[in-house]
């Protein structure tokens, strides 16, 4: 009788090859074509022109993200089930956990803020971590799980919508504010949230998108590196070359283009909308606080002046930076970037890229004020003291989202195109020749 063994013995952990073969990419931030050598564990490559990190393979590329994601999930379970903050005012004690804070917002009919808080501090990190486990278990066991491409796409895109770190800092601000009027103690969930924020950042940076797409496609029986760079378009997201006839990338599913279509008009449109909403966000009251004797409606600026005069200079400075300086600076810098891409660069390409990265990185910190209001609202909702958000809170959230969209639609390669275009016209010696391929030794 013939015996067929369906089960292949596999050493555990499997001797997985983490190498990325030598290949060519176009830098997604400046468009420079770069020939990469074979990359091994612990190696990373930066663009020689703009210094953008093209890909970095970790020392434990298969295990580390799994370990970080598991640790984050365990921490999340504790953070969302334990006491976050306890507030006692006028003999009434509120013991708040994060789910009870969201419930409070819904009860008070501020569902929009509950959704914002739910998506940014719970929904996005949870789905991100589950996708991370799914994708990395598929990589580890070399198995084509169903919906693997979709899970990978979700994983790499959700990274920008995790704001646990912003919520943590907001709690500190709210704590200082609260402790001047009530008895406040921070619960175990607050301290664990600090650890969670750090491990989430670590998980996020341990996932090299370019490498993950290559390995996932190998499992799915496709070679992402099969196309010739000369006749194809380099996908701006996964950085593999695809046929010009494709509209969406066959490797990662993103839209395929050499430069983002309508980049400047889309970016400018979102920017104009943000500028218009920035006016009511600053003129209307953002927070209405009341007690049995007095009702006080504060705009962002009033609130800051009030805190400064009351002696809370540190919080006043933090709220001023997060609510006025950051969104204002972001709008001004996005105007500079859009005008530069249209009319020419006022500074070198590298300086302009620093401005671009700055606008991208600071955006989420504007949410501090909104999170502070959410925490104050959940803490003060009795007849003794009540805090509710004013109309400006919604306008302010929209300004943050619209400036993020404006930055998202802005294609930074347009800056470099303009830079080299003006270099050619004025015939100055250029720093780099744009069309040549850079080869790493
Ligand atoms: Zn570059
Ligand atoms: Zn792609």
């Amino acid at each position: 009788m013939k015996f067929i063994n369906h089960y292949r013995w596999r050493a555990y952990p499997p001797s997985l090859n983490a190498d990325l073969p030598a290949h060519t990419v176009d830098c997604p931030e400046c468009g420079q074509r770069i020939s990469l050598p074979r990359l091994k564990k612990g190696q990373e490559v930066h663009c020689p022109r703009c210094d953008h990190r093209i890909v970095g393979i970790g020392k434990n590329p298969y295990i580390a993200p799994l370990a970080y994601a598991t640790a984050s999930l365990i921490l999340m379970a504790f953070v969302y089930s334990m006491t976050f903050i306890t507030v006692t005012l006028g003999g009434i004690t509120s013991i708040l956990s994060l789910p009870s804070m969201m419930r409070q917002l819904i009860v008070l009919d501020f569902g929009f803020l509950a959704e914002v808080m739910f998506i940014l501090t719970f929904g996005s990190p949870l789905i991100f971590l589950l996708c991370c486990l799914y994708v990395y278990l598929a990589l580890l066991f070399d198995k084509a799980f169903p919906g693997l491409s979709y899970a990978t796409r979700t994983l790499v895109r959700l990274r920008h919508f995790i704001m646990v770190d912003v919520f943590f800092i907001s709690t500190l601000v709210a704590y200082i504010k609260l402790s001047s009027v009530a008895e406040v103690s921070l619960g175990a969930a607050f301290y664990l949230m600090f650890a969670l924020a750090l491990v989430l950042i670590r998980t996020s940076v341990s996932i090299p998108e370019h490498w993950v797409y290559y390995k996932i496609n190998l499992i799915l029986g496709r070679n992402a590196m099969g196309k010739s760079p000369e006749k194809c378009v380099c996908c701006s997201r996964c950085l593999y070359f695809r046929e010009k006839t494709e509209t969406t990338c066959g490797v990662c599913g993103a839209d395929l283009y050499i430069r983002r279509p309508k980049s400047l008009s889309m970016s400018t449109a979102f920017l104009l909308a943000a500028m218009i909403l920035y006016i009511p966000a600053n003129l209307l009251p953002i927070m209405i606080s009341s007690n049995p004797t007095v009702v006080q409606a504060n705009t962002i600026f009033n609130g800051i002046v009030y805190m400064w005069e009351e002696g809370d200079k540190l919080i006043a400075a933090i709220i001023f930076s997060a609510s006025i300086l950051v969104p204002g600076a972001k709008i001004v810098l996005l105007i500079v970037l859009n005008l530069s891409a249209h009319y020419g660069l006022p500074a070198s390409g590298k300086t302009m890229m620093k401005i671009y990265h700055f606008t991208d990185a600071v955006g989420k910190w504007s949410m501090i004020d909104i999170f502070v209001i959410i925490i104050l609202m959940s803490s003060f909702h009795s007849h003794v003291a009540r805090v509710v958000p004013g109309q400006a809170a919604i306008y302010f959230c929209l300004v943050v989202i619209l400036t993020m969209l404006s930055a998202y639609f802005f294609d930074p390669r347009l800056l470099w195109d303009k830079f080299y275009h003006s270099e050619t016209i004025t015939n100055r010696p250029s720093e780099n020749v744009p069309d040549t391929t850079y080869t790493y030794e």
Side-chain angles (χ1 to χ4, degrees), residues 5-225:
N5 187 4
H6 287 285
Y7 300 96
R8 232 173 348 124
W9 168 253
R10 197 199 286 270
Y12 185 81
S15 51
L16 290 160
N17 179 8
D19 291 9
L20 199 60
H23 64 294
T24 303
V25 297
D26 283 354
C27 172
E29 300 223 325
C30 73
Q32 166 88 49
R33 183 154 293 179
I34 311 160
S35 286
L36 303 179
R38 187 176 190 85
L39 293 171
K40 295 179 183 304
K41 282 180 195 174
Q43 290 184 324
E44 62 173 38
V45 164
H46 289 250
C47 170
R49 190 203 270 173
C50 72
D51 205 34
H52 172 66
R53 187 171 181 254
I54 303 286
V55 62
I57 309 173
K59 289 207 174 87
N60 290 302
Y62 290 95
I63 304 292
L66 272 176
Y68 291 130
T70 311
S72 305
L73 276 173
I74 295 169
L75 279 169
M76 252 185 113
F78 285 115
V79 168
Y80 279 85
S81 58
M82 296 171 93
T83 303
F84 191 68
I85 196 165
T86 309
V87 184
T88 309
L89 181 71
I92 299 168
T93 302
S94 316
I95 301 168
L96 296 165
S97 65
L98 291 165
S100 73
M101 287 163 75
M102 285 182 215
R103 214 174 307 128
Q104 196 64 49
L105 290 175
I106 296 165
V107 169
L108 296 171
D109 216 12
F110 288 100
F112 176 71
L113 288 180
E115 279 160 27
V116 168
M117 181 181 166
F118 179 80
I119 292 169
L120 300 177
T121 66
F122 183 75
S124 299
L126 182 68
I127 298 169
F128 166 76
L129 292 170
L130 292 177
C131 284
C132 181
L133 289 185
Y134 194 71
V135 169
Y136 272 85
L137 283 174
L139 286 172
L140 191 63
F141 293 109
D142 197 11
K143 283 264 185 295
F145 292 164
L148 198 52
S149 296
Y150 190 71
T152 313
R153 215 178 306 158
T154 313
L155 169 71
V156 297
R157 289 186 181 191
L158 270 184
R159 281 196 272 202
H160 309 289
F161 295 95
I162 298 174
M163 296 201 189
V164 176
D165 43 358
V166 182
F167 195 85
F168 177 79
I169 299 294
S170 310
T171 313
L172 274 180
V173 175
Y175 173 74
I176 305 171
K177 242 173 149 170
L178 282 166
S179 40
S180 59
V181 287
E183 208 176 295
V184 197
S185 69
L186 294 164
F190 169 78
Y191 298 102
L192 288 173
M193 187 181 247
F194 179 65
L196 173 63
L198 290 183
V199 188
L200 270 172
I201 294 170
R202 199 69 201 86
T203 315
S204 177
V205 297
S206 69
I207 299 170
E209 196 171 334
H210 184 58
W211 179 89
V212 171
Y213 274 121
Y214 175 69
K215 297 292 176 189
I216 287 293
N217 276 271
L218 279 187
I219 292 176
L220 297 172
R222 305 188 292 236
N223 180 10
M225 293 182 186

Side-chain angles (χ1 to χ4, degrees), residues 244-372:
K244 284 177 183 156
T245 47
E246 281 181 26
T247 47
T248 50
C249 171
V251 174
C252 72
D255 289 343
L256 210 56
Y257 45 76
I258 299 171
R259 297 291 180 266
R260 181 180 280 283
K262 298 194 181 117
S263 162
L264 291 184
S265 47
M266 291 295 277
S267 178
T268 311
F270 283 117
L271 187 57
L272 283 174
M275 283 160 72
I276 293 166
L277 295 184
Y278 189 64
I279 300 166
N282 279 286
L283 292 183
L284 293 174
I286 193 153
M287 190 169 86
I288 301 158
S289 44
S290 57
N291 61 38
T293 52
V294 66
V295 176
Q296 196 178 9
N298 275 327
T299 63
I300 296 177
F301 193 71
N302 273 346
I304 294 166
V305 171
Y306 179 74
M307 279 182 272
W308 186 268
E309 285 170 353
E310 287 287 298
D312 294 331
K313 293 204 163 83
L314 178 67
I315 315 179
I318 293 175
I319 301 282
F320 177 76
S321 309
S323 304
I324 293 186
L325 208 58
V326 166
K330 194 168 175 183
I331 288 175
V332 171
L333 291 176
L334 279 167
I335 295 172
V336 171
L337 287 173
N338 271 285
L339 288 177
S340 306
H342 258 299
Y343 300 109
L345 273 56
S348 74
K350 276 192 177 169
T351 312
M352 296 309 289
M353 287 312 285
K354 279 185 189 146
I355 296 177
Y356 170 72
H357 286 141
F358 179 77
T359 58
D360 218 26
V362 296
K364 68 177 188 175
W365 293 98
S366 308
M367 288 302 285
I368 284 184
D369 207 13
I370 296 293
F371 286 151
V372 168

Side-chain angles (χ1 to χ4, degrees), residues 216-239:
I216 287 293
N217 276 271
L218 279 187
I219 292 176
L220 297 172
R222 305 188 292 236
N223 180 10
M225 293 182 186
K227 310 278 183 201
S228 142
E230 280 68 38
K231 298 187 188 108
C232 296
V233 179
C234 185
C235 171
S236 305
R237 189 160 273 278
C238 67
L239 311 186

